[in-house]
């Protein structure tokens, strides 16, 4: 009975140690470090511009993806650089986007 308990404890300890053993390659040369995995570039969608609201000529906010934002705030990694009556300028890294609101209802 005591031998069975020791083997159960031994198996439990071994199962706890296996994930850490799998993280290193026992056959690799001493001091070897595996190259880091390249990071996957995830595509982040450009926010949808729902509306531009202006209290005055220099005081505008934008509604992006249903939420209100002011100049300088960020959404999904895009920084809002400028908001005027006609467009919202977003910046991400070294790229720049200008979002405009189009009126889809044409009155004839």
């Amino acid at each position: 009975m005591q031998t069975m308990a020791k083997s159960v404890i031994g198996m439990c300890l071994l199962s706890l140690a296996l994930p850490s053993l799998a993280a290193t390659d026992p056959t690799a040369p001493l001091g070897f470090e595996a190259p880091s995995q390249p990071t996957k570039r995830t595509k982040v969608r450009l926010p949808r511009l729902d509306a531009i609201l202006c209290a005055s000529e220099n005081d505008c906010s934008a509604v992006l993806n249903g939420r209100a934002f002011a100049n300088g705030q960020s959404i999904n990694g895009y920084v809002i650089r400028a908001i005027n009556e006609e467009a919202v300028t977003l910046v991400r890294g070294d790229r720049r986007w200008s979002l405009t609101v189009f009126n889809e209802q044409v009155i004839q």
Side-chain angles (χ1 to χ4, degrees):
M1 189 71 163
Q2 188 176 13
T3 310
M4 189 170 155
K6 285 183 182 178
S7 45
V8 169
I9 292 172
M11 282 192 269
C12 289
L13 292 175
L14 182 61
S15 68
L16 292 174
L18 283 178
S20 63
L21 290 175
T24 59
D25 182 2
T27 62
L30 290 175
F32 174 78
E33 290 184 23
S36 63
Q37 295 293 327
T39 57
K40 282 188 175 182
R41 292 185 74 172
T42 57
K43 257 190 173 172
V44 179
R45 294 193 116 171
L46 197 60
R48 179 188 72 247
L49 177 60
D50 297 321
I52 297 174
L53 309 169
C54 295
S56 67
E57 191 173 313
N58 296 328
D59 183 25
C60 294
S61 61
V63 179
L64 299 162
N65 294 347
R67 294 182 11 218
F69 290 91
N71 194 14
Q73 290 185 309
S74 63
I75 175 172
N76 299 339
Y78 296 94
V79 178
I80 301 170
R81 285 287 179 229
I83 304 172
N84 61 38
E85 296 170 344
E86 298 176 7
V88 176
T89 303
L90 301 176
V91 175
R92 183 179 177 129
D94 59 349
R95 298 190 64 194
R96 182 178 300 259
W97 293 265
S98 181
L99 305 179
T100 58
V101 178
F102 296 103
N103 188 2
E104 295 179 1
Q105 296 179 348
V106 178
I107 300 172
Q108 295 180 356

